[in-house]
Amino acid sequence: MKKIGSFFLGFLGVFKKRKNVKLGIYGPPNAGKSTLANKITKDWLGEEMSKASPIPHETREIVVKEKITIKSKGKELTFNLVDTPGIATKIDYEDFLKYKLNAKEARERAKEATKGVIEAIKWLDNMDCVLVVLDSTQNPYSQVNITIIGNLAARNIPVLIVANKTDLRKADIKRVEAAFPQYPTIGISAEKGHNLEVFYDNLFKLMK
Amino acid sequence: MLTLQYIPYHEFAPLTLDDKLKRVLKSVKLDKIIIIEGRLDAVEESELIKRTMQQIDKKFKGIEIASIDYDFRSLDLLDKVKKNIAHFLLNRKPGLTIVGPATVVKEIRKDPTKIELMTLDKKNR
């Protein structure tokens, strides 16, 4: 009897989970996670959800936008979008001084950024699907990228790799693809809106 | 002066996760670059990042880390099988992990089979 009960509870759990599918956006700082999150919410809700800036660690808390419905070719997909702080292995407040922050602001930002990294890692367990946003002008073999993707693989979470900033001259999508051949990779420019239609098609495939 | 510390597999692998992280961070906070025989798994790495973030302060700015797998691609099939069986029997994760303090190690450049470690000049630390 207990087994039947737990089966139905499990079934209800899955049903509940599918109703509130969480799509996480992960990646290192300054890869364009918030820019992509804003692009998605702007396209489908008409409003932005996060603050994007060239200063690293602009997003220092988890930001969730609920019930985003996207449509393509007669299909519909509803999910909660989770924009996460960039994951890093080092944070030096002095790096923020280059962006004309004063020492107090820089220290405060660094302190908040460390908490943000911890929160982002903790939230990995809550995700149903994840977009790993990488700057396609940077070396994809950084340990942070490998750690993020390794953690998602260990949790069997479906992943789409988004090679962002393809509008820049140094962008190299092939290198990103070669680094993580086990996952689909899509090249976009979240800022310029390049290749977003293909991105949304891939999102449907990821979350089917 | 740079200090490199090598931790052999038989010393590191039996430790609990907590002890592994303490061992790594203790050495790194003494400005040592440590080379661990074997790989940390992804969950251990994320725990190391979390623990590092908790300890960042005015002096300790974080870590640089890189892991590398042994490249078995150049081996023929029989040698690959032999290597894999040996690692399985010894319960080893083949590879190498390098961890250094961010105030000493500027960058660890990595491609799939090679690691280059760039250190900061003392005057820039």
Side-chain angles (χ1 to χ4, degrees), chain A residues 89-91 139 143 147 151, chain B residues 42 45 61 63-64 67 110:
Chain A
T89 59
K90 59 182 178 183
I91 294 170
N139 179 5
Q143 199 62 37
T147 301
N151 270 275
Chain B
E45 281 174 3
K61 313 283 186 184
I63 59 170
E64 277 289 343
S67 294
K110 187 181 159 193

Side-chain angles (χ1 to χ4, degrees), chain A residues 157-204:
Chain A
I157 297 172
V159 170
L160 174 63
I161 296 180
V162 180
N164 192 24
K165 307 191 185 183
T166 56
D167 55 307
L168 301 179
R169 200 171 48 84
K170 283 186 178 172
D172 190 346
I173 303 170
K174 292 248 178 296
R175 200 171 181 209
V176 178
E177 279 172 347
F180 306 106
Q182 68 275 42
Y183 292 112
T185 299
I186 177 86
I188 66 159
S189 166
E191 190 178 287
K192 309 278 182 197
H194 294 169
N195 213 25
L196 265 286
E197 276 189 28
V198 180
F199 164 74
Y200 287 126
D201 281 346
N202 276 270
L203 204 50
F204 272 92

Side-chain angles (χ1 to χ4, degrees), chain A residues 12-205:
Chain A
L12 286 171
V14 169
F15 183 68
K16 193 180 165 195
K17 196 174 157 189
R18 296 312 298 177
K19 261 187 93 175
N20 296 293
V21 176
K22 288 191 196 75
L23 174 64
I25 303 184
Y26 276 81
N30 270 82
K33 297 178 295 300
S34 296
T35 307
L36 177 61
N38 285 340
K39 185 69 192 156
I40 294 170
T41 53
K42 188 90 181 158
D43 281 352
W44 301 100
L45 297 176
E47 61 188 49
E48 296 190 339
M49 67 179 282
S50 295
K51 192 179 165 203
S53 109
I55 310 175
H57 298 284
E58 183 64 42
T59 306
R60 300 184 293 286
E61 287 180 346
I62 302 281
V63 185
V64 184
K65 196 77 186 173
E66 295 189 335
K67 290 182 183 162
I68 299 170
T69 301
I70 67 172
K71 294 171 186 170
S72 173
K73 297 169 188 166
K75 290 182 289 182
E76 243 185 53
L77 193 61
T78 301
F79 53 86
N80 298 338
L81 189 61
V82 185
D83 185 18
T84 67
I87 295 179
T89 59
K90 59 182 178 183
I91 294 170
D92 184 350
Y93 84 92
E94 287 181 19
D95 290 341
F96 301 129
L97 299 175
K98 297 170 201 159
Y99 296 90
K100 294 182 180 170
L101 268 68
N102 65 40
K104 193 183 168 199
E105 289 168 335
R107 276 195 208 99
E108 190 59 32
R109 192 183 188 91
K111 196 176 168 189
E112 289 170 4
T114 60
K115 289 179 185 164
V117 173
I118 295 168
E119 279 305 296
I121 293 171
K122 282 183 183 167
W123 269 68
L124 278 167
D125 287 321
N126 300 329
M127 299 301 166
D128 297 301
C129 299
V130 166
L131 304 171
V132 176
V133 181
L134 304 179
D135 180 340
S136 62
T137 68
Q138 301 290 318
N139 179 5
Y141 293 100
S142 82
Q143 199 62 37
V144 162
N145 298 347
I146 291 164
T147 301
I148 294 170
I149 289 170
N151 270 275
L152 295 166
R155 291 167 170 81
N156 286 320
I157 297 172
V159 170
L160 174 63
I161 296 180
V162 180
N164 192 24
K165 307 191 185 183
T166 56
D167 55 307
L168 301 179
R169 200 171 48 84
K170 283 186 178 172
D172 190 346
I173 303 170
K174 292 248 178 296
R175 200 171 181 209
V176 178
E177 279 172 347
F180 306 106
Q182 68 275 42
Y183 292 112
T185 299
I186 177 86
I188 66 159
S189 166
E191 190 178 287
K192 309 278 182 197
H194 294 169
N195 213 25
L196 265 286
E197 276 189 28
V198 180
F199 164 74
Y200 287 126
D201 281 346
N202 276 270
L203 204 50
F204 272 92
K205 285 181 200 159

Side-chain angles (χ1 to χ4, degrees), chain B residues 73-110:
Chain B
R73 285 175 298 182
S74 56
L75 300 176
D76 63 35
L77 186 65
L78 187 63
D79 283 337
K80 272 184 200 171
V81 172
K82 277 187 202 164
K83 288 265 182 201
N84 283 325
I85 290 173
H87 286 303
F88 176 76
L89 291 175
L90 295 168
N91 191 26
R92 298 176 95 141
K93 287 177 203 157
L96 213 59
T97 304
I98 300 177
V99 191
T103 43
V104 176
V105 181
K106 185 183 171 197
E107 189 187 355
I108 303 178
R109 274 188 212 151
K110 187 181 159 193

Side-chain angles (χ1 to χ4, degrees), chain B residues 20-125:
Chain B
K20 282 180 183 174
L21 302 184
K22 277 182 186 158
R23 173 96 193 251
V24 169
L25 287 171
K26 187 181 169 192
S27 295
V28 167
K29 288 174 96 171
L30 292 170
D31 279 353
K32 291 177 182 168
I33 297 169
I34 60 168
I35 301 166
I36 304 163
E37 184 189 8
R39 285 206 54 170
L40 294 177
D41 65 35
V43 176
E44 288 172 335
E45 281 174 3
S46 62
E47 286 302 315
L48 177 60
I49 294 174
K50 272 161 68 178
R51 196 73 66 91
T52 299
M53 289 297 125
Q54 286 164 353
Q55 297 188 19
I56 282 181
D57 56 23
K58 273 185 189 169
K59 193 166 171 273
F60 179 57
K61 313 283 186 184
I63 59 170
E64 277 289 343
I65 176 171
S67 294
I68 193 160
D69 287 315
Y70 286 135
D71 187 14
F72 290 157
R73 285 175 298 182
S74 56
L75 300 176
D76 63 35
L77 186 65
L78 187 63
D79 283 337
K80 272 184 200 171
V81 172
K82 277 187 202 164
K83 288 265 182 201
N84 283 325
I85 290 173
H87 286 303
F88 176 76
L89 291 175
L90 295 168
N91 191 26
R92 298 176 95 141
K93 287 177 203 157
L96 213 59
T97 304
I98 300 177
V99 191
T103 43
V104 176
V105 181
K106 185 183 171 197
E107 189 187 355
I108 303 178
R109 274 188 212 151
K110 187 181 159 193
D111 71 19
T113 58
K114 187 175 68 180
I115 287 180
E116 286 177 289
L117 191 139
M118 259 67 68
T119 56
L120 285 162
D121 294 337
K122 188 130 194 172
K123 62 180 178 187
N124 291 330
R125 288 182 205 166

